[in-house]
Amino acid sequence: MIAPPGRLLWLGAFLCCALSLIAGGMPVARAAAAPLGSGESCATSTTGAVIVTAECLDATYADAVIESEEDVTSPTTLHIVRGYFEGTSSRFAVYLPPAGQWQGRFFQYTYPLTDENAADETILFGVNSGGYTVQASGSSGYRHAAAAAKVSREIAASYYGDDGRHIYGYLYGPSGGSFQTVGAVENTTGVWDGFVPTVMGTPVSIPNNFFIRAMGRLVLGDVRQQISDAVLNGSDPYAGLNDAQTLMLEEMTALGVQLEGWEDPDYLLGYSFDDGLLGYVAMVKRMDPTYADDFWNESGYLGTEDSPLGEVVRAALVDTTLSVTAVERDGAGSPAALMTEGFPAGALDEGLDMQVLDNDGAPVGELVGTLDATTGRIHLDEGSDAAALAALAEGTQIAADNRWSIAARSYYRHQLPPQEEGFTVYNRFYDDAGEPLYPQRQSRIAGMMASSISGGATYSGLFQGKVILVSNLQDVDAYTWHAPWYVERVRSAQGDAGVDERLRIYVNENADHLEGPVTGEKSTRIVSYDPMVQRALRELVAWVEEDVEPASSTSYTVAGGQVVLPSTAAERAGVQPVVTLAADTTTAEVGQPVRFEVSADMPASAGEVVRIDWEFTGTGDYVEAMQTSEENVRASVEHVFVEPGAYWVTVRATSAAAENSDSFAQVQNLARVRVVVRETGGQSDPTPMSTPSATDAAPTPLATRPAVQSASTIAPSTAVNASATVPGAAVSATTTPSATSDLAKTLARTGVPAVALMAGAVSVLALGALLVARRRA
């Protein structure tokens, strides 16, 4: 019997594994460990969160079962212990390196949809950082993770033969995992010593962030590339927009959608997702069933508002009847697709609700599918009512409307957080007397979802242990201001001294929401944030275990919903190199050498630049030009383009802490400049494009904020060979011919237990579908 918390994914898995082991002749062994601590039950906070300590017993996770142990050599030499908590669906695995490589700590990754099988990269980082790795499955809260952490300490003490040693623990997780990590930060003591919440959500993030962008999709979809080009080229993104488009871009920007995010407009506006950012509409329907009727009939909503945005909303409304002309069936005879007629030409075909009607026009049941307005073909998905499917035949009538799809997009206006919670970006929706400008819905769905996923975190800013937040400047899923908002929550709760003693924040420039390696064209404009998370974990280790102060927090300002970084490394601080790139010309002829100069600077005491890479084709094929070990690097390279076209040339700098001897925690940044190449003797590009620094000035609501770092021009030079100006730096810059290239995701109690429970169930399901789609493959 082993004490801990956690929950959610183990009973079914336990039965399957137990049966397979028994069938294979291997007995299922109960962990022969005593309850942790005194065995007293874990307390519950006034908000319903379970407070897990190193000593208390979480009854849900009271019985840990060890089902297997094995020694492996891949991805490295490990002893792996697997098990589950009896009576739950939660499973865990502990990956133990040889004793000679273990330094008395563990690292634990958490994410709502991750099972107990840790990725090779996760395991190898742990081993290279002197720790074992533990991972557990569980879609809500932190209790399953805490249970696994406590069990892992017993397993490690037995395996390494040291019962008296304190084993340090570090929990980290991105996106949905940040909810779980913050839940653990504020509701556990002595289970972990340090935490790294990454690309973090807040009690207003879900569904608001996605609906804000879906509203932007409705209004700005047709001009998304125009806005993107303006942001990339340092021109005014509002130029040429009509009144509604101007209002929408200003609202999105003020609410925290970074202008830098417009580098990838299709992702920002949901064109990369099957759900078009509307995956939470079903949840709002269940939680607030009268909302759509109010939206289209009551004052205070865009459905009735006399405004440019109101006009766009009403013009997008579809309420029509389709006639089935043919039914396509699968091999089993079930309807798989329909051919229909009657959809209005040019109408919006996304987010349609469809009801099959009987001969009297009464609804028979709902159809789930997507309509191609061009052909009239409806592809049917799982979830349609059986009665609706059975009624389908040639001539069947289908009522189709997008009332909910359109209405839900501005739901964020009607779910405002209280001003005392410090969400200043939402102050635009309050009047001078502190009253909401628009009608407010009774159920605060966003807070309910956050509480459900986090396990009841209130984001109070009160915690023990130490925390490093990681936020990214091109994150349009978890907005960049989220982490700075939490810094202020900690400051309010613990004061400046508490922030200094317990908290750091590191902001990645040129990184987005998606974890994992960045490859292909995207790597010419985005760097992975994983190395900064690894760096933060190692900074925590030294801070917690040796009382070594970590690198200073990144300096930033938050203005008009936008997080702005200083332009120099000395001012910016943090752990990321600051990179600028300049070309001696932004227009050139085929065969003409173009000289590029890079400046890569590390903040004080943050480490060294160890490598400079160049990319000239726009495909992500980098050429290593230089290895170095300097805090400040200046280098130049010449390149000859052999084909006409518009090229984004990228330089990427890789950095490492002073004593880092492996490939982990090597934080990167990049800069780009655009060069237009014409045929020899051809005319110059009539509008040469440059990319000024993204951090030159703080934004105003209608400010132009280019998303690309750097691109001034430099004085011409007669140099032909690549050169580095840093004394002693090795140089191997290579130039290659280029071809034309295109640049192409709380349960706060409302007093209605049934509503809270529904929010919890629905949020986990909805979050699952959305977060899977939002992760980089």
Side-chain angles (χ1 to χ4, degrees):
M1 196 161 169
I2 298 181
R7 170 166 205 155
L8 262 150
L9 237 126
W10 304 48
L11 188 54
F14 146 57
L15 292 173
C16 292
C17 292
L19 289 173
S20 66
L21 288 170
I22 291 171
M26 180 178 179
V28 178
R30 182 175 303 278
L36 294 178
S38 64
E40 294 182 359
S41 297
C42 297
T44 301
S45 73
T46 57
T47 61
V50 175
I51 307 300
V52 181
T53 69
E55 296 79 22
C56 75
L57 181 67
D58 186 337
T60 302
Y61 301 93
D63 292 303
V65 176
I66 305 301
E67 61 183 359
S68 70
E69 298 189 36
E70 62 176 332
D71 294 310
V72 302
T73 57
S74 178
T76 187
T77 301
L78 296 166
H79 182 72
I80 304 177
V81 179
R82 297 183 182 276
Y84 58 88
F85 292 101
E86 192 167 17
T88 79
S89 56
S90 256
R91 305 186 60 80
F92 61 86
V94 183
Y95 302 83
L96 301 151
Q101 295 176 270
W102 185 59
Q103 298 173 13
R105 64 184 67 100
F106 70 86
F107 299 95
Q108 185 171 359
Y109 174 89
T110 185
Y111 187 80
L113 301 179
T114 295
D115 61 20
E116 75 279 9
N117 299 301
D120 287 354
E121 183 84 354
T122 302
I123 296 167
L124 291 172
F125 167 75
V127 172
N128 278 267
S129 303
Y132 67 79
T133 296
V134 58
Q135 191 162 300
S137 58
S139 58
S140 281
Y142 51 88
R143 292 166 62 195
H144 66 284
K150 294 166 78 170
V151 170
S152 79
R153 281 192 170 96
E154 293 192 358
I155 292 171
S158 174
Y159 181 71
Y160 293 119
D162 189 351
D163 291 335
R165 181 178 191 175
H166 174 70
I167 299 175
Y168 294 95
Y170 304 92
L171 182 70
Y172 65 106
S175 190
S178 79
F179 285 102
Q180 296 176 308
T181 304
V182 173
V185 167
E186 296 193 348
N187 295 303
T188 69
T189 304
V191 179
W192 298 281
D193 300 276
F195 309 85
V196 181
T198 304
V199 292
M200 66 180 294
T202 74
V204 299
S205 297
I206 303 174
N208 288 8
N209 289 13
F210 302 102
F211 285 166
I212 289 166
R213 292 159 60 200
M215 185 65 190
R217 175 188 175 109
L218 178 68
V219 181
L220 300 173
D222 291 343
V223 293
R224 64 187 185 276
Q225 196 58 54
Q226 172 186 326
I227 297 170
S228 178
D229 290 343
V231 169
L232 279 166
N233 301 316
S235 55
D236 182 2
Y238 295 89
L241 302 186
N242 63 31
D243 289 346
Q245 293 163 346
T246 297
L247 289 170
M248 191 66 245
L249 180 57
E250 190 273 333
E251 184 160 294
M252 291 178 68
T253 303
L255 289 172
V257 179
Q258 293 279 142
L259 282 172
E260 287 87 346
W262 284 95
E263 281 201 23
D264 192 348
D266 283 357
Y267 185 90
L268 192 159
L269 296 184
Y271 289 92
S272 302
F273 311 140
D274 292 338
D275 62 28
L277 299 167
L278 297 172
Y280 290 112
V281 173
M283 179 198 68
V284 177
K285 282 185 183 181
R286 292 185 180 95
M287 301 291 293
D288 193 355
T290 65
Y291 171 71
D293 286 340
D294 292 342
F295 179 88
W296 293 108
N297 295 289
E298 302 293 332
S299 62
Y301 298 88
L302 284 174
T304 62
E305 183 178 281
D306 183 15
S307 69
L309 286 176
E311 292 175 8
V312 170
V313 161
R314 289 187 293 277
L317 178 64
V318 173
D319 193 351
T320 191
T321 301
L322 309 177
S323 180
V324 177
T325 59
V327 180
E328 301 175 15
R329 299 182 182 274
D330 60 22
S334 299
L338 310 173
M339 293 303 299
T340 67
E341 59 184 14
F343 194 77
L348 189 67
D349 60 3
E350 66 184 34
L352 291 174
D353 290 322
M354 295 177 285
Q355 289 277 347
V356 174
L357 305 178
D358 63 16
N359 292 334
D360 296 325
V364 173
E366 183 179 10
L367 284 183
V368 178
T370 54
L371 170 70
D372 183 342
T374 304
T375 62
R377 187 175 187 271
I378 297 175
H379 174 78
L380 296 176
D381 300 319
E382 294 183 2
S384 295
D385 291 338
L389 294 174
L392 291 173
E394 185 176 347
T396 298
Q397 302 294 293
I398 299 173
D401 73 80
N402 61 4
R403 297 173 68 253
W404 266 103
S405 167
I406 300 300
R409 295 170 195 247
S410 57
Y411 197 71
Y412 58 89
R413 290 185 168 198
H414 309 287
Q415 284 271 284
L416 301 183
Q419 287 186 296
E420 59 268 21
E421 293 183 3
F423 293 103
T424 56
V425 299
Y426 285 90
N427 286 349
R428 63 187 290 105
F429 297 134
Y430 285 93
D431 63 20
D432 292 341
E435 294 297 321
L437 297 173
Y438 306 113
Q440 296 299 295
R441 309 307 294 180
Q442 182 176 6
S443 297
R444 191 177 163 191
I445 292 176
M448 296 167 71
M449 289 197 68
S451 183
S452 173
I453 302 165
S454 68
T458 61
Y459 289 73
S460 66
L462 289 171
F463 58 84
Q464 298 183 31
K466 298 184 186 299
V467 175
I468 298 180
L469 308 173
V470 173
S471 186
N472 300 331
L473 208 60
Q474 292 200 30
D475 189 347
V476 296
D477 290 309
Y479 297 165
T480 311
W481 61 258
H482 292 176
W485 169 80
Y486 191 66
V487 172
E488 295 310 309
R489 295 289 284 178
V490 177
R491 195 180 309 280
S492 296
Q494 303 192 44
D496 291 340
V499 171
D500 292 341
E501 294 170 3
R502 298 187 181 279
L503 184 69
R504 294 290 187 275
I505 175 173
Y506 297 149
V507 181
N508 271 301
E509 186 181 31
N510 296 307
D512 63 11
H513 187 77
L514 306 180
E515 62 181 328
V518 186
T519 59
E521 176 274 332
K522 192 168 187 176
S523 69
T524 68
R525 52 187 173 81
I526 293 292
V527 297
S528 172
Y529 64 77
D530 294 351
M532 186 177 281
V533 173
Q534 296 164 356
R535 175 69 185 269
L537 287 166
R538 288 183 174 177
E539 295 276 326
L540 274 177
V541 167
W543 198 9
V544 168
E545 299 177 24
E546 302 174 25
D547 201 26
V548 175
E549 287 283 332
S552 300
S553 291
T554 304
S555 178
Y556 57 83
T557 57
V558 183
Q562 302 288 286
V563 175
V564 185
L565 304 181
S567 60
T568 68
E571 296 172 304
R572 188 179 301 183
V575 296
Q576 188 183 35
V578 175
V579 186
T580 59
L581 176 63
D584 62 357
T585 181
T586 56
T587 60
E589 294 183 351
V590 170
Q592 173 188 340
V594 180
R595 186 166 66 94
F596 301 93
E597 289 192 358
V598 59
S599 170
D601 299 312
M602 289 299 295
S605 303
E608 301 170 334
V609 175
V610 297
R611 194 172 70 250
I612 298 290
D613 301 309
W614 293 89
E615 210 288 335
F616 298 101
T617 66
T619 61
D621 295 325
Y622 278 89
V623 177
E624 183 182 288
M626 180 178 182
Q627 291 186 359
T628 183
S629 56
E630 302 288 342
E631 292 185 5
N632 304 289
V633 174
R634 305 290 181 269
S636 65
V637 67
E638 284 193 349
H639 182 74
V640 174
F641 297 92
V642 299
E643 296 286 345
Y647 296 88
W648 284 99
V649 175
T650 305
V651 64
R652 186 175 63 194
T654 301
S655 69
E659 298 180 0
N660 186 10
S661 59
D662 61 22
S663 61
F664 295 100
Q666 294 196 349
V667 179
Q668 296 182 322
N669 200 358
L670 56 78
R672 296 194 292 161
V673 63
R674 184 176 186 268
V675 178
V676 175
V677 180
R678 60 184 185 276
E679 293 283 6
T680 303
Q683 288 189 332
S684 299
D685 179 26
T687 55
M689 304 170 87
S690 63
T691 53
S693 168
T695 54
D696 282 346
T700 59
L702 298 180
T704 300
R705 286 207 55 230
V708 180
Q709 170 75 22
S710 88
S712 57
T713 59
I714 59 175
S717 170
T718 57
V720 175
N721 298 319
S723 64
T725 60
V726 177
V731 180
S732 58
T734 305
T735 59
T736 57
S738 299
T740 304
S741 63
D742 294 324
L743 287 181
K745 163 170 325 206
T746 296
L747 263 164
R749 305 199 177 243
T750 61
V752 186
V755 172
L757 291 173
M758 180 180 291
V762 173
S763 67
V764 169
L765 293 174
L767 180 77
L770 287 169
L771 294 187
V772 164
R774 307 296 190 256
R775 301 184 84 187
R776 182 177 290 118

